[in-house]
Amino acid sequence: MKYALITGAGRGIGRAVSLKLSSMGYHTLLNYVHNDLAAEECAKMISDSGGESTLLKFDVSNREQTEAALKNWSDANPGEYIEVLVNNAGIRKDNLMLWMEESEWQDVIGTNLNGMFYVTKPLLKSMLIKRAGRIINIVSLSGIKGLPGQTNYSAAKGGVIAATKALAQEVAKKGITVNAVAPGFIISDMTSGLDESMLKKQIPMERFGKPEEVASVVAFLASSEASYITGEVISVNGGLYT
């Protein structure tokens, strides 16, 4: 059995990635923190399509909680390891820096940047021992370009991009690849409050993307066909930022 862990798996891009990896034969470990119903719906969709999944409820921004959840899974599955990790969990709390509360800064950094570290570090040892692994970080156009009102989110995603490039060099000789996928405006909860009719005028393709279009790139990076690609950031944004 091959295992893939997707953080923030219940909805949007996380759900699409989970379904795609399940179709590739992975037993998907679905991480979520709040929405039990959405996570259960995702698990049912995987089951209905003939796949297998396990729900893992923990807050990626909490180191102790994350380490305990991953240790419990490892103890319950001796000899197994998580081959594919998709760090997708993320939150936005947009505000101009002049008015930004410290909690808005800390919460976004905690989930988007610290969460990547807290989840990835415990899984690295097994990947190194097995000399195989795929780490795929979901970042953002905001982390490449920077967007006004998102200094916290841009800082967090920019940090993940830099960490992706550094970690890729640390583990490349052990057969582990580390890449990032940077979505632009994708139809999801994260963009539900945005003015789509106005923003799509800025996009050469004149539409928001679909979560499945991001999932297809993640699936490629998780496959053996991407074995010589590492340290890269692949944008999925309809030509918005090229």
Side-chain angles (χ1 to χ4, degrees):
M1 181 65 68
K2 301 186 298 180
Y3 292 91
L5 169 61
I6 304 94
T7 66
R11 298 172 291 178
I13 291 172
R15 175 177 290 190
V17 169
S18 300
L19 290 166
K20 187 68 174 180
L21 292 180
S22 175
S23 74
M24 294 167 62
Y26 285 95
H27 182 122
T28 51
L29 308 177
L30 310 177
N31 161 258
Y32 70 105
V33 64
H34 294 304
N35 197 327
D36 295 276
L37 180 59
E40 290 164 2
E41 286 176 350
C42 183
K44 185 177 186 303
M45 292 172 72
I46 290 171
S47 177
D48 288 347
S49 63
E52 296 182 12
S53 65
T54 301
L55 297 178
L56 290 182
K57 185 175 183 178
F58 62 89
D59 181 356
V60 300
S61 70
N62 185 306
R63 180 179 60 81
E64 293 82 6
Q65 201 177 117
T66 300
E67 289 179 351
L70 295 176
K71 183 178 186 303
N72 289 340
W73 180 86
S74 181
D75 290 345
N77 296 272
E80 304 289 356
Y81 87 110
I82 295 169
E83 178 182 324
V84 174
L85 167 61
V86 182
N87 285 306
N88 169 71
I91 61 170
R92 279 178 41 223
K93 292 190 175 182
D94 296 354
N95 207 345
L96 296 176
M97 179 175 275
L98 180 63
W99 310 114
M100 187 173 290
E101 299 289 340
E102 183 177 354
S103 62
E104 293 173 324
W105 176 271
Q106 296 293 355
D107 290 350
V108 169
I109 295 294
T111 297
N112 295 285
L113 181 57
N114 294 344
M116 181 277 294
F117 173 72
Y118 294 153
V119 176
T120 304
K121 185 174 182 289
L123 303 184
L124 268 179
K125 184 176 181 180
S126 293
M127 290 184 182
L128 291 167
I129 291 171
K130 299 287 186 179
R131 300 184 70 88
R134 297 282 187 269
I135 298 170
I136 302 150
N137 298 319
I138 306 300
V139 290
S140 171
L141 167 71
S142 185
I144 299 173
K145 181 180 181 293
L147 292 175
Q150 291 191 341
T151 51
N152 50 2
Y153 191 67
S154 294
K157 292 301 189 180
V160 174
I161 288 171
T164 297
K165 293 175 179 292
L167 181 58
Q169 296 174 69
E170 293 180 8
V171 299
K173 65 182 179 181
K174 295 293 187 179
I176 301 166
T177 65
V178 189
N179 291 289
V181 177
F185 294 113
I186 305 297
I187 299 170
S188 69
D189 290 349
M190 292 282 278
T191 58
S192 61
L194 301 179
D195 186 344
E196 182 176 349
S197 61
M198 181 188 72
L199 289 170
K200 69 182 182 182
K201 295 176 183 177
Q202 304 174 26
I203 304 170
M205 287 190 176
E206 297 184 337
R207 67 175 177 87
F208 277 21
K210 303 173 184 177
E212 292 77 15
E213 292 173 309
V214 180
S216 293
V217 178
V218 174
F220 168 67
L221 291 173
S223 74
S224 59
E225 295 176 341
S227 57
Y228 201 55
I229 300 172
T230 197
E232 292 299 318
V233 181
I234 300 177
S235 293
V236 184
N237 61 28
L240 177 61
Y241 181 71
T242 57

